[in-house]
Amino acid sequence: MSRMPQEQKRRQIMQAAEKLFVSRRFHEITLDEVARRAQVGKGTIYLYFKDKDDLFFQTALAGFDDLCNLLAEKIPANAPFEEQLNVASLQISSYFQRRRQVLRMIQAEDARMFWCKGEAKEAWKQKRQCVVDMVVTIMRHGVQEGKVRTDIPPQAMANILMEMLRMQAPYLANVPDAERHIHMLVDLFYRGAGWSGACAPASATKAAAVSQGNKGGA
């Protein structure tokens, strides 16, 4: 059997596992169900994966690979910092929206890896770091352009942004639909929650002036 058909079969099995993870928990899914969904014999699964734990672990790892490849393709290498930040954030957000099952698997494996040791944990850290490193590179680009603060390490800022993008649905749950878009989250991350200078709307500026006047007359 050639390498390409083997990889296609492996991917087919992982896709079946991912689809079954839509509305059910890991322990509720059996390898028999995965085999039926993938249209392969149960024994075929064991040619590519040690057991169910390994199947779900490898599926989550492949999710990182897919996201890394997507970012490498979409982020414009020579673009200004803000354009790179917006493109990367949009791609990460869209990926997590399209592949919600993979996101759930990643989150489950993230929790499990906290307690694990050995090769599996190292493989997980390396794959996860691939995505983070791409965002770190963008943050360093922002530092070079003088647009990103230097008192917080780029690694920390990248992890904060990644967490915001992963959790955007609950974060924006109470925002009106017409205003709920990824650029709002990116702007909140980049510029913070406070109005400053010319960026403040007239209503905020007027309110600040009234507040200052009241303090002066007290």
Side-chain angles (χ1 to χ4, degrees), residues 147-163:
K147 294 181 178 179
V148 172
R149 59 196 294 173
T150 59
D151 59 330
I152 299 177
Q155 175 87 19
M157 287 191 287
N159 280 307
I160 291 169
L161 177 60
M162 288 291 297
E163 190 61 25

Side-chain angles (χ1 to χ4, degrees), residues 111-130:
R112 191 168 73 90
M113 285 301 110
F114 182 80
W115 302 103
C116 285
K117 297 180 180 180
E119 294 181 4
K121 186 166 188 175
E122 285 305 309
W124 184 258
K125 286 169 60 178
Q126 289 177 13
K127 294 289 186 179
R128 189 182 188 283
Q129 194 61 40
C130 170

Side-chain angles (χ1 to χ4, degrees), residues 81 137-150 152 154 157:
F81 161 71
T137 298
I138 294 173
M139 294 302 166
R140 287 176 177 155
H141 186 182
V143 170
Q144 291 172 355
E145 289 187 8
K147 294 181 178 179
V148 172
R149 59 196 294 173
T150 59
I152 299 177
M157 287 191 287

Side-chain angles (χ1 to χ4, degrees), residues 73-117:
E73 177 186 346
K74 298 294 185 180
I75 297 173
N78 299 315
F81 161 71
E82 289 189 50
E83 181 180 347
Q84 288 187 339
L85 179 65
N86 276 290
V87 169
S89 298
L90 180 60
Q91 292 300 327
I92 293 169
S93 173
S94 298
Y95 178 83
F96 285 151
Q97 289 296 313
R98 291 194 311 272
R99 305 282 298 277
R100 291 181 183 179
Q101 301 97 312
V102 163
L103 174 58
R104 288 181 63 212
M105 296 172 90
I106 286 174
Q107 290 172 327
E109 290 297 322
D110 238 354
R112 191 168 73 90
M113 285 301 110
F114 182 80
W115 302 103
C116 285
K117 297 180 180 180

